[in-house]
Amino acid sequence: MNTRSMKGWLYLIPAIAFLGVFVVYPLFDVVVYSFEEGYNSASQTFFGTGTYNFSYVLRDTYFIQALKNTFILVIITVPLSTGLALLISVGLSSIKKLQELYQTIFFLPYVTNTLAVGLVFMILFQKTAYTDGFVNQIIHLFGGSSVDFIDGPYWAKMTVMCIYTVWVVMPFKVLILTSALASVNPDYYKAAKVDGTSSWRIFYKITLPMISPMIFYLIITGFIGAFKAYGDVVAIFGTNLNAAGMNTIVGYVYDMLYGDGGGYPSYASAAALVLFAIVLTITVINLLIQRRSVQTS
Amino acid sequence: MKIVLEHITKRYPNRNKKIGGLVTAVEDFDLTIPDGKLVALLGPSGCGKSTTLNMICGLEDPTEGKIWFGDTDVTRLSPEVRGVGMVFQSYALYPHMTVLQNIMFPLENLKGADKLSRDEMVRRAEHAASLVQISELLERKPSQVSGGQQQRVAIARALVKTPKVLLLDEPLSNLDARLRLTTREEIRRIQRETGITTVFVTHDQEEAMSISDEIVVMENGVIRQVGKPQRVYDEPDNLFVSKFLGTPPINVFEGHVERGQLYIGTERVLDVFQAPDGPVTVGVRPEGFVVDADGPFTCGLVAVERMGRDTSVVATHDALEAVQMRAIVSSDARVDTSASNVRFRLRPEKTRLFDAQTGQRIHFVGETMEEPAEVMAREARAAAGAPKPEAGATA
Ligand SMILES: Nc1ncnc2c1ncn2[C@@H]1O[C@H](COP(=O)(O)OP(=O)(O)O)[C@@H](O)[C@H]1O
Ligand SMILES: [Mg+2]
């Protein structure tokens, strides 16, 4: 090894040590835990090794519910937020006046605390003995009957959850897409204009392919982010998510560790590994699709 | 298609919002581009060449003035109605489409009665590709072909709709020096073959001089001179044009005229009959110096460089505007390289006088390679005290 690369490794030592202690080792530990059956966290002993933890988790109705919730959240919010962000970004880039002001406004949710946003959402949607809440008043205005979005039927709660998630992830996506749109060489648009291309065709044939790497990036990170949803759910529905029927996979993992029925690191680890497997699969599929369809110049 | 620009002016809102107001990119631009010719818009960066081209194209509306294509007023028409093809400096080839798809793209936009069948589109695209000699590249992506080939693809795409006017904005500036030479000949060939009226933007005077039928020299949004390249080089209307054309550039001195004699420093260097007395700016082309031990013009010798068939003498002079001057002399000229001075004689047909204030050309007798008969006639007129034909020649 020459002195140059020695130096390189030397500089990397702090980062490697940090990652090793806080990322690699816990990861390794999770795998070990997940195969230890009947682990007792007080005595730190276990009966034997095997796949029982996985079969328990996969048969647990709470886990099945969490899995279902997470999937619904992912399937609805990822396409919806990405599509909406694209729409908003295209709109923003075509505005000439006050463009920066609008961009700032759209970015505000990004710097706002999740719990504060959740609280606001709860107030907007909640129905109490004293008030119907803002959203219900609007529903009344259009002649509908009020719904309890926070403690009511499942689909109502899921609606709030989806709207909330879309709203929270929007600013980041808008930011990424507006800068992607701004980085497209204007000569492409001029050339298309000289050839009399309609604006829809310009968007579909030129803009979209040009920014497709960024769209794919957003879809992949969107999937990963939505699968890891937890804090947002707590912000709206409180910590007893199993009772609310709104738990997510990460929520289930957390409950298994620290919740009322907690103290089961083995079950938690098994559930975490299931989540890991799902995210890995979806990311690999995404990357395969991307490699086939995205062209970079 | 003859193109006429009638008093075109273009003002943009200032890009720097703090300063605000309007920026005049092109001012009172009056130009006729003859049918079937290749015309170059030439000038330094920021002088308004692209703006002018974009107005001819229809990408920008002129603030004032009119644009005619033949007998049609196209000032307010959009580009696709005008029937123009444009090649951009960056080529603007769509990276996600193949070369064939790129060339076909303009055809796919055609609607209604003009709509073409797929086969017809491919046929026309292939024809355009063969014109620029890239037929074997059609299935490649732009990133898989060389810069010169990308350039040709861009030209094929501009030509596929058989436009009446071809516009090229700095089409060679992304190519390396060697490729630039061959590609500009290629553009010339395509232009000749198609006979399409072509406007070519460049800041490179050599490029403009070598391939255009006519050059338009611009400065700060204003036309400084229009004409055949050699003519503009030989007979610049003003100091700016004379300095902008030619490599190595013209050598500029401060001088003055006294009773038909040109003085640089204290030396009387040339007869300039009929030039008015007073301070002048003198431009001497590098090929305007003749090494002559008895010559009237003494310069400090710096170096003698022999490069290929040229011998250049690098010298200095107190009245020189630049630090050094460069004379290109015949290879059998005898220069004593150990001497500290070198003496020259000036060729009148390579020496140009300009007003020291305005930079406008000042004419003198003998500045052109005229027929002897013409010179005799003029001298006879001068001797007889007849009205003098040269501008400002009343000394
Ligand atoms: N869209 C625009 N907005 C404001 N100013 C512009 C715009 N386009 C060009 N200009 C200004 O107009 C002048 C001429 O520009 P341009 O035509 O691009 O010059 P060239 O092509 O000769 O380099 C420059 O000073 C430039 O800054
Ligand atoms: Mg330009």
Side-chain angles (χ1 to χ4, degrees), chain A residues 100 185 187-198 201-202 205-206 209-210 295-297, chain B residues 54 57 59 79-80 84 86 88 90 92-97 105-106 108-109 141 143 157 161:
Chain A
E100 279 155 32
N185 184 345
D187 278 359
Y188 291 122
Y189 297 130
K190 285 192 206 158
K193 217 175 142 204
V194 174
D195 295 331
T197 320
S198 63
R201 211 170 114 82
I202 290 180
K205 284 279 195 180
I206 299 168
M210 292 281 185
Q295 319 288 339
T296 43
S297 56
Chain B
N54 288 343
C57 177
L59 284 169
E80 75 269 18
V84 291
M86 180 128 167
F88 295 86
S90 63
L93 298 176
Y94 309 123
H96 51 284
M97 300 181 196
F105 192 82
E108 288 168 351
N109 289 328
K141 290 279 171 64
S143 57
R157 187 177 64 183
K161 277 212 264 184

Coordinates of all heavy atoms in Angstrom, one line a residue, chain A residues 100 185 187-198 201-202 205-206 209-210 295-297, chain B residues 54 57 59 79-80 84 86 88 90 92-97 105-106 108-109 141 143 157 161:
Chain A
E100 N -39.6 32.9 -7.0 CA -38.9 32.5 -5.8 C -39.8 32.5 -4.6 O -39.7 31.6 -3.7 CB -37.7 33.5 -5.6 CG -36.6 33.2 -6.4 CD -35.7 34.3 -6.7 OE1 -35.6 35.2 -5.9 OE2 -35.1 34.4 -7.8
N185 N -31.2 22.1 -20.6 CA -30.7 23.1 -21.5 C -31.8 23.7 -22.3 O -32.6 23.0 -23.0 CB -29.7 22.4 -22.4 CG -29.0 23.4 -23.3 OD1 -29.5 24.6 -23.5 ND2 -27.9 23.0 -23.9
D187 N -31.9 25.2 -24.9 CA -31.8 25.0 -26.4 C -32.7 23.9 -26.8 O -33.2 23.9 -28.0 CB -30.4 24.7 -26.7 CG -29.5 25.9 -26.9 OD1 -30.0 27.0 -26.7 OD2 -28.3 25.8 -27.2
Y188 N -33.0 22.9 -26.0 CA -33.9 21.8 -26.4 C -35.3 22.4 -26.6 O -35.9 22.0 -27.6 CB -34.0 20.8 -25.3 CG -32.7 19.9 -25.1 CD1 -32.1 19.9 -23.8 CD2 -32.2 19.2 -26.1 CE1 -30.9 19.2 -23.7 CE2 -31.0 18.5 -25.9 CZ -30.4 18.4 -24.7 OH -29.3 17.7 -24.5
Y189 N -35.7 23.3 -25.8 CA -37.0 23.8 -25.9 C -37.1 24.7 -27.2 O -38.1 24.8 -27.9 CB -37.4 24.6 -24.7 CG -37.5 23.7 -23.5 CD1 -36.9 24.1 -22.3 CD2 -38.2 22.5 -23.5 CE1 -37.0 23.2 -21.2 CE2 -38.3 21.7 -22.4 CZ -37.7 22.0 -21.2 OH -37.8 21.2 -20.2
K190 N -36.0 25.5 -27.4 CA -35.9 26.4 -28.5 C -36.0 25.5 -29.8 O -36.8 25.9 -30.7 CB -34.7 27.2 -28.5 CG -34.7 28.3 -27.5 CD -33.5 29.3 -27.8 CE -33.1 30.0 -26.5 NZ -31.7 30.5 -26.6
A191 N -35.2 24.5 -29.8 CA -35.2 23.6 -31.0 C -36.6 23.1 -31.3 O -37.1 23.0 -32.4 CB -34.2 22.5 -30.9
A192 N -37.2 22.6 -30.2 CA -38.6 22.0 -30.4 C -39.6 23.1 -30.8 O -40.5 22.8 -31.6 CB -39.0 21.5 -29.0
K193 N -39.4 24.3 -30.4 CA -40.3 25.4 -30.8 C -40.1 25.8 -32.2 O -41.1 26.0 -33.0 CB -40.0 26.6 -29.9 CG -41.3 27.4 -29.5 CD -41.0 28.5 -28.6 CE -41.8 29.7 -28.9 NZ -41.2 31.0 -28.5
V194 N -38.9 25.8 -32.7 CA -38.6 26.0 -34.1 C -39.3 25.0 -35.0 O -39.8 25.3 -36.0 CB -37.1 26.0 -34.4 CG1 -36.8 26.2 -35.9 CG2 -36.4 27.2 -33.6
D195 N -39.4 23.8 -34.5 CA -40.0 22.7 -35.2 C -41.5 22.7 -35.0 O -42.2 21.7 -35.5 CB -39.4 21.4 -34.9 CG -37.9 21.3 -35.2 OD1 -37.6 22.0 -36.2 OD2 -37.2 20.6 -34.6
G196 N -42.1 23.6 -34.3 CA -43.5 23.7 -34.1 C -44.1 22.6 -33.2 O -45.2 22.1 -33.5
T197 N -43.3 22.2 -32.2 CA -43.8 21.1 -31.3 C -44.8 21.7 -30.4 O -44.6 22.7 -29.8 CB -42.6 20.5 -30.5 OG1 -41.5 20.4 -31.4 CG2 -42.9 19.2 -30.0
S198 N -45.9 20.9 -30.2 CA -46.9 21.4 -29.2 C -46.4 21.3 -27.8 O -45.5 20.5 -27.5 CB -48.2 20.5 -29.4 OG -47.9 19.2 -29.0
R201 N -46.5 17.8 -26.3 CA -45.5 16.9 -26.9 C -44.1 17.3 -26.4 O -43.3 16.4 -26.1 CB -45.6 17.0 -28.4 CG -45.2 15.7 -29.1 CD -45.5 15.8 -30.6 NE -44.2 15.8 -31.3 CZ -43.6 14.6 -31.6 NH1 -44.1 13.5 -31.3 NH2 -42.5 14.7 -32.3
I202 N -43.9 18.6 -26.2 CA -42.6 19.0 -25.6 C -42.4 18.4 -24.2 O -41.4 17.8 -23.9 CB -42.4 20.5 -25.5 CG1 -42.3 21.1 -26.9 CG2 -41.3 20.9 -24.7 CD1 -42.2 22.6 -27.0
K205 N -42.3 14.4 -24.7 CA -41.2 13.8 -25.4 C -39.8 14.3 -25.0 O -38.8 13.7 -25.3 CB -41.4 14.1 -26.9 CG -42.5 13.3 -27.6 CD -41.9 11.9 -28.0 CE -42.8 11.2 -28.9 NZ -42.2 9.9 -29.3
I206 N -39.8 15.5 -24.4 CA -38.5 16.1 -24.1 C -38.3 16.3 -22.6 O -37.4 15.7 -22.0 CB -38.3 17.4 -24.8 CG1 -38.4 17.2 -26.3 CG2 -37.0 18.1 -24.5 CD1 -38.5 18.4 -27.2
P209 N -38.5 12.8 -20.4 CA -37.3 11.9 -20.5 C -36.1 12.6 -19.9 O -35.2 11.9 -19.3 CB -37.1 11.7 -22.0 CG -38.5 12.0 -22.6 CD -39.1 13.0 -21.7
M210 N -36.0 13.9 -20.0 CA -34.8 14.6 -19.5 C -34.7 14.5 -18.0 O -33.6 14.5 -17.5 CB -34.8 16.1 -19.9 CG -34.7 16.3 -21.4 SD -33.0 16.1 -21.8 CE -33.1 16.6 -23.5
Q295 N -32.7 7.0 -19.8 CA -31.5 7.3 -20.6 C -30.8 8.5 -20.1 O -31.4 9.5 -20.0 CB -31.9 7.5 -22.1 CG -33.0 6.7 -22.6 CD -32.5 5.3 -22.9 OE1 -31.3 5.0 -23.0 NE2 -33.5 4.3 -22.9
T296 N -29.5 8.3 -19.8 CA -28.8 9.5 -19.5 C -27.8 9.8 -20.6 O -27.3 8.9 -21.2 CB -28.0 9.3 -18.2 OG1 -27.4 8.0 -18.2 CG2 -28.9 9.4 -17.0
S297 N -27.6 11.1 -20.8 CA -26.8 11.5 -22.0 C -25.4 11.4 -21.7 O -25.0 11.6 -20.5 CB -27.2 12.9 -22.4 OG -27.1 13.7 -21.4
Chain B
N54 N -32.2 34.8 -33.7 CA -33.4 34.4 -33.1 C -34.6 35.2 -33.6 O -35.7 34.7 -33.7 CB -33.4 34.5 -31.6 CG -32.4 33.5 -30.9 OD1 -32.1 32.5 -31.6 ND2 -32.0 33.7 -29.7
C57 N -35.4 33.8 -36.9 CA -36.0 32.5 -36.7 C -37.5 32.6 -36.2 O -38.3 31.8 -36.6 CB -35.2 31.7 -35.7 SG -35.9 30.2 -35.2
L59 N -37.9 33.1 -32.8 CA -37.9 32.7 -31.3 C -38.0 34.0 -30.5 O -38.4 33.9 -29.3 CB -36.6 32.0 -31.0 CG -36.5 30.5 -31.4 CD1 -35.1 30.0 -31.3 CD2 -37.5 29.7 -30.6
P79 N -42.1 30.4 -35.6 CA -41.0 29.8 -36.4 C -41.5 28.7 -37.4 O -41.1 28.7 -38.5 CB -40.1 29.1 -35.3 CG -40.4 29.9 -34.1 CD -41.8 30.4 -34.2
E80 N -42.4 27.9 -36.9 CA -42.8 26.8 -37.8 C -43.5 27.2 -39.1 O -43.5 26.6 -40.1 CB -43.6 25.7 -37.1 CG -45.0 26.0 -36.7 CD -45.2 26.7 -35.4 OE1 -44.2 27.2 -34.9 OE2 -46.3 26.7 -34.9
V84 N -38.2 27.8 -41.2 CA -36.8 27.9 -41.0 C -36.3 26.7 -40.3 O -37.0 26.0 -39.6 CB -36.5 29.2 -40.1 CG1 -36.8 30.5 -40.8 CG2 -37.3 29.1 -38.8
M86 N -33.1 25.5 -37.8 CA -32.1 26.1 -36.9 C -31.1 25.1 -36.3 O -31.6 24.0 -35.9 CB -32.8 26.9 -35.8 CG -31.8 27.7 -34.9 SD -32.2 29.4 -34.8 CE -31.3 29.9 -33.4
F88 N -28.3 24.8 -33.2 CA -27.8 25.5 -32.1 C -26.4 25.2 -31.7 O -25.9 24.1 -32.1 CB -28.7 25.2 -30.9 CG -30.1 25.6 -31.0 CD1 -31.1 24.9 -31.7 CD2 -30.5 26.9 -30.6 CE1 -32.4 25.3 -31.9 CE2 -31.8 27.3 -30.7 CZ -32.7 26.5 -31.4
S90 N -25.2 24.2 -29.0 CA -25.1 23.0 -28.3 C -25.7 21.8 -29.0 O -25.8 20.7 -28.5 CB -25.8 23.1 -27.0 OG -27.2 23.4 -27.2
A92 N -28.4 20.7 -29.4 CA -29.7 20.4 -28.8 C -30.3 19.1 -29.4 O -31.4 19.1 -29.7 CB -30.6 21.6 -29.1
L93 N -29.4 18.1 -29.5 CA -29.9 16.8 -30.0 C -30.5 16.1 -28.7 O -29.9 16.2 -27.7 CB -28.8 15.9 -30.5 CG -28.1 16.5 -31.8 CD1 -27.0 15.6 -32.2 CD2 -29.1 16.6 -32.9
Y94 N -31.7 15.6 -28.9 CA -32.4 14.9 -27.8 C -31.6 13.6 -27.4 O -31.6 12.7 -28.2 CB -33.8 14.6 -28.1 CG -34.5 15.9 -28.6 CD1 -35.2 15.8 -29.9 CD2 -34.5 17.1 -27.9 CE1 -35.8 17.0 -30.4 CE2 -35.1 18.2 -28.4 CZ -35.8 18.2 -29.6 OH -36.4 19.3 -30.1
P95 N -31.0 13.6 -26.2 CA -30.1 12.5 -25.9 C -30.8 11.1 -25.8 O -30.2 10.1 -25.9 CB -29.5 12.9 -24.5 CG -30.5 13.9 -24.0 CD -31.1 14.6 -25.1
H96 N -32.1 11.1 -25.5 CA -32.8 9.9 -25.3 C -33.4 9.3 -26.6 O -34.0 8.2 -26.6 CB -33.9 10.0 -24.3 CG -34.8 11.2 -24.6 ND1 -34.4 12.5 -24.4 CD2 -36.1 11.3 -25.2 CE1 -35.4 13.3 -24.8 NE2 -36.4 12.6 -25.3
M97 N -33.2 10.0 -27.7 CA -33.6 9.5 -29.0 C -32.5 9.1 -29.9 O -31.4 9.7 -29.8 CB -34.4 10.6 -29.8 CG -35.6 11.1 -29.0 SD -36.5 12.3 -30.0 CE -37.5 13.1 -28.8
F105 N -38.0 14.0 -35.7 CA -38.8 14.7 -34.8 C -39.6 15.9 -35.4 O -40.8 16.0 -35.2 CB -37.9 15.2 -33.6 CG -38.7 15.7 -32.4 CD1 -39.2 14.8 -31.5 CD2 -38.9 17.0 -32.3 CE1 -39.9 15.3 -30.4 CE2 -39.7 17.5 -31.2 CZ -40.2 16.6 -30.3
P106 N -39.0 16.7 -36.2 CA -39.7 17.9 -36.8 C -40.9 17.4 -37.7 O -41.9 18.0 -37.7 CB -38.7 18.6 -37.6 CG -37.4 18.2 -37.0 CD -37.5 16.8 -36.5
E108 N -42.6 14.7 -37.3 CA -43.7 14.1 -36.5 C -44.6 15.2 -36.0 O -45.8 14.9 -35.5 CB -43.1 13.3 -35.3 CG -42.5 12.0 -35.8 CD -41.7 11.3 -34.7 OE1 -41.5 12.0 -33.6 OE2 -41.3 10.2 -34.9
N109 N -44.1 16.4 -36.0 CA -45.0 17.5 -35.5 C -46.0 18.0 -36.5 O -46.9 18.7 -36.1 CB -44.1 18.7 -35.1 CG -43.3 18.5 -33.9 OD1 -43.7 17.8 -33.0 ND2 -42.1 19.0 -33.8
K141 N -27.3 6.5 -30.6 CA -27.7 7.7 -29.8 C -26.7 8.8 -30.0 O -25.5 8.5 -30.3 CB -27.7 7.3 -28.3 CG -28.8 6.3 -27.9 CD -30.1 7.0 -27.7 CE -31.3 6.0 -27.5 NZ -31.2 5.2 -26.4
S143 N -25.0 10.5 -28.0 CA -23.8 10.3 -27.2 C -22.8 9.3 -27.8 O -21.7 9.3 -27.4 CB -24.1 9.9 -25.8 OG -24.9 8.7 -25.8
R157 N -31.4 17.5 -39.1 CA -32.7 17.7 -38.4 C -33.2 19.1 -38.9 O -34.4 19.3 -39.0 CB -32.5 17.7 -36.9 CG -33.9 17.8 -36.2 CD -33.7 17.7 -34.7 NE -33.0 18.8 -34.1 CZ -32.7 18.9 -32.9 NH1 -33.0 18.0 -32.0 NH2 -32.0 20.0 -32.4
K161 N -37.2 19.3 -43.0 CA -38.5 19.9 -43.4 C -38.3 20.7 -44.7 O -39.2 21.5 -45.0 CB -39.1 20.7 -42.3 CG -39.9 19.9 -41.3 CD -41.1 20.6 -40.8 CE -40.8 21.2 -39.4 NZ -41.9 21.9 -38.8

